[in-house]
Amino acid sequence: MVAEPERSERTPAATIGRLGWVFFVIGMSPGFYYPALTNLLTARGLDSHFIQWTWLASPIAALISPVFVGALADNRFSGQKVLGWLSLLSAVLLAIAFRLLDSEVSPIWFLVFQFASAIVGAPQWSMMASLSLFHLRSGEREFPLVRMGGTLGWVAGGLILSFVFHADTSPMAGYLGAGAKVLAGLCAFSLPSTPPLGKSRSLRSLLGIDAFALLKERDHCVFFLVTALLSMPLTAFYMWTPKHLADLGDSHAVATMALGQISEVVAMLLMSLLIRKFRVKTLLVASLSLTALRYGLFAWSGESGLRIGLIAGVTLHGLCYTLYFITAQLFLDRRVEAGLRSQAQGLISLFSNGIGSLVGTFAVRAWYDHTVGAGHGGWASFWGALGGFLFGLTVIFVVAYRGVAASRDQPTAGG
């Protein structure tokens, strides 16, 4: 089994810069086309059913590949090589998908290649988190700074698409996203070598099944289940906030959505302090509470017709995301043995981007059709019910998650 690098106070600046840069280009790719997707498809006359299936690509992909690919990186192949090839292949498939959308063929072919691209590319974020935490000597302080590169990339993608290419509803969004994936793949090969730390060669381990043993521990089980439930209403934010902004007269909805990533940058800068000062449970409860609040702001915008509530809620998104998911990644990295860490990061993706987003995409689209599409309450009812769901989820988490005493294996003052 390969030994982990010795930990000292600081990671060399060059290593931090390289890791941050790869996160930047990985984040830039979805930053180009994710916020534009709903309005782009609407501009082509495609209805909410087709939009739903388009958004199902990521959750279905997250069910299939992150844990399996994480197991390969844990036990068989160098992590940076796995990441590089995944990025390049995903880029080719994404470019083909948007080229087909821009042609006269059936839009079903766009779905086929978009699904293929998503399945191949789904492990990118969890793989990059695992690679970074392997090389960083002080993950609690340095990982938020490195991970901030992904956020800055997402912001850059949205701003470039809106203000440089003026392509909020153009397939150009997908072509730019594919180009960023190519760059990410090439840069991944230049990262420091990340050998597999696991030694198992059993089929069970190579399929990533061993990672599910984490669910036997009570707090882990509560965390993963709440993560899945949280991710259900989160799909509404990505799918329908741009549409709500457009309905209220925002002609640069993609750029407005980037406000969430800008606030995420601020939150990342604060994380090294917060993760040391507060318990894991405190940070997770704060995230859940703020998420419920921002959906309340969205509902107020739906009732009043004023865009300010939406803008405020979008701005809160970055803080909510960082407090929950970055805390979770750091927490699991310290609680899980080295040979399972890539799989543990993949498990977060499976429960959030997979199970939660899959169920949420169906449920949210049906709720949108009932409230906004059919006029039963409109945007106020749409967001209000989701906010109520999140408030209830916060209460459940407070009661069910126990937390543990401080230990050297945890990144905070306690669980």
Side-chain angles (χ1 to χ4, degrees):
M1 182 173 175
V2 180
E4 289 186 86
E6 292 185 11
R7 302 287 172 180
S8 64
E9 279 299 308
R10 295 183 181 276
T11 305
T15 300
I16 292 177
R18 289 163 71 184
L19 293 170
W21 169 249
V22 176
F23 257 126
F24 181 89
V25 287
I26 286 176
M28 181 179 281
S29 176
F32 278 126
Y33 69 93
Y34 260 48
L37 200 52
T38 296
N39 290 342
L40 189 161
L41 296 173
T42 300
R44 273 158 177 69
L46 298 167
D47 61 17
S48 66
H49 293 273
F50 189 89
I51 292 171
Q52 166 194 278
W53 281 103
T54 301
W55 281 97
L56 281 172
S58 290
I60 289 175
L63 290 173
I64 297 172
S65 53
V67 177
F68 168 67
V69 170
L72 292 179
D74 279 336
N75 294 287
R76 282 293 182 95
F77 303 108
S78 295
Q80 80 281 1
K81 294 180 181 178
V82 173
L83 178 62
W85 285 114
L86 288 176
S87 299
L88 292 177
L89 180 55
S90 179
V92 172
L93 294 168
L94 185 66
I96 293 173
F98 276 89
R99 178 66 186 90
L100 292 169
L101 184 66
D102 200 22
S103 67
E104 298 299 322
V105 302
S106 168
I108 296 300
W109 286 108
F110 165 75
L111 281 181
V112 170
F113 281 91
Q114 192 218 5
F115 266 70
S117 175
I119 290 170
V120 174
Q124 282 183 292
W125 289 96
S126 58
M127 280 292 303
M128 192 59 206
S130 182
L131 288 175
S132 298
L133 289 165
F134 176 86
H135 291 288
L136 295 173
R137 295 173 180 172
S138 180
E140 295 84 8
R141 285 183 296 183
E142 296 170 340
F143 179 68
L145 299 178
V146 168
R147 174 58 181 78
M148 186 172 67
T151 304
L152 292 172
W154 191 299
V155 173
L159 295 178
I160 291 170
L161 183 74
S162 280
F163 296 122
V164 177
F165 291 95
H166 305 286
D168 283 46
T169 58
S170 166
M172 174 66 72
Y175 300 147
L176 292 169
K181 281 181 178 285
V182 170
L183 183 57
L186 296 176
C187 291
F189 290 120
S190 72
L191 289 174
S193 177
T194 311
L197 295 178
K199 56 184 179 181
S200 176
R201 294 295 183 267
S202 70
L203 180 62
R204 178 185 178 88
S205 295
L206 294 178
L207 290 176
I209 296 174
D210 286 346
F212 289 90
L214 295 173
L215 299 178
K216 294 179 181 178
E217 201 275 326
R218 176 191 170 105
D219 280 349
H220 287 163
C221 184
V222 171
F223 163 73
F224 282 116
L225 290 177
V226 169
T227 297
L229 292 171
L230 167 65
S231 299
M232 291 168 57
L234 282 184
T235 59
F237 174 76
Y238 298 108
M239 285 177 67
W240 299 113
T241 307
K243 180 68 166 59
H244 193 180
L245 285 166
D247 284 354
L248 293 181
D250 191 339
S251 59
H252 293 292
V254 172
T256 302
M257 292 291 288
L259 289 172
Q261 278 63 54
I262 293 172
S263 73
E264 192 174 318
V265 171
V266 176
M268 294 282 186
L269 292 172
L270 294 174
M271 275 303 294
S272 60
L273 173 64
L274 296 176
I275 202 74
R276 290 174 174 273
K277 187 173 179 64
F278 297 102
R279 299 176 64 213
V280 166
K281 183 175 183 178
T282 301
L283 296 178
L284 296 180
V285 170
S287 173
L288 291 167
S289 302
L290 288 171
T291 303
L293 171 63
R294 68 192 182 93
Y295 276 44
L297 290 169
F298 287 175
W300 177 78
S301 273
E303 182 66 31
S304 67
L306 299 175
R307 206 184 309 165
I308 186 64
L310 271 174
I311 294 173
V314 168
T315 303
L316 276 175
H317 170 73
L319 179 61
C320 297
Y321 178 89
T322 301
L323 287 177
Y324 196 91
F325 288 99
I326 303 303
T327 298
Q329 288 179 316
L330 290 168
F331 176 64
L332 285 179
D333 184 69
R334 290 296 176 259
R335 290 287 296 270
V336 174
E337 63 180 89
L340 281 174
R341 285 176 187 165
S342 292
Q343 296 167 73
Q345 300 296 338
L347 205 59
I348 296 177
S349 182
L350 184 147
F351 275 87
S352 59
N353 299 328
I355 297 171
S357 294
L358 180 65
V359 175
T361 300
F362 281 109
V364 163
R365 196 275 303 168
W367 184 235
Y368 169 85
D369 282 351
H370 176 75
T371 54
V372 180
H376 297 139
W379 287 112
S381 294
F382 177 77
W383 295 116
L386 296 176
F389 176 87
L390 286 161
F391 176 79
L393 183 61
T394 304
V395 174
I396 291 170
F397 183 81
V398 169
V399 173
Y401 186 96
R402 290 175 177 171
V404 295
S407 86
R408 62 183 176 86
D409 295 322
Q410 290 178 268
T412 71

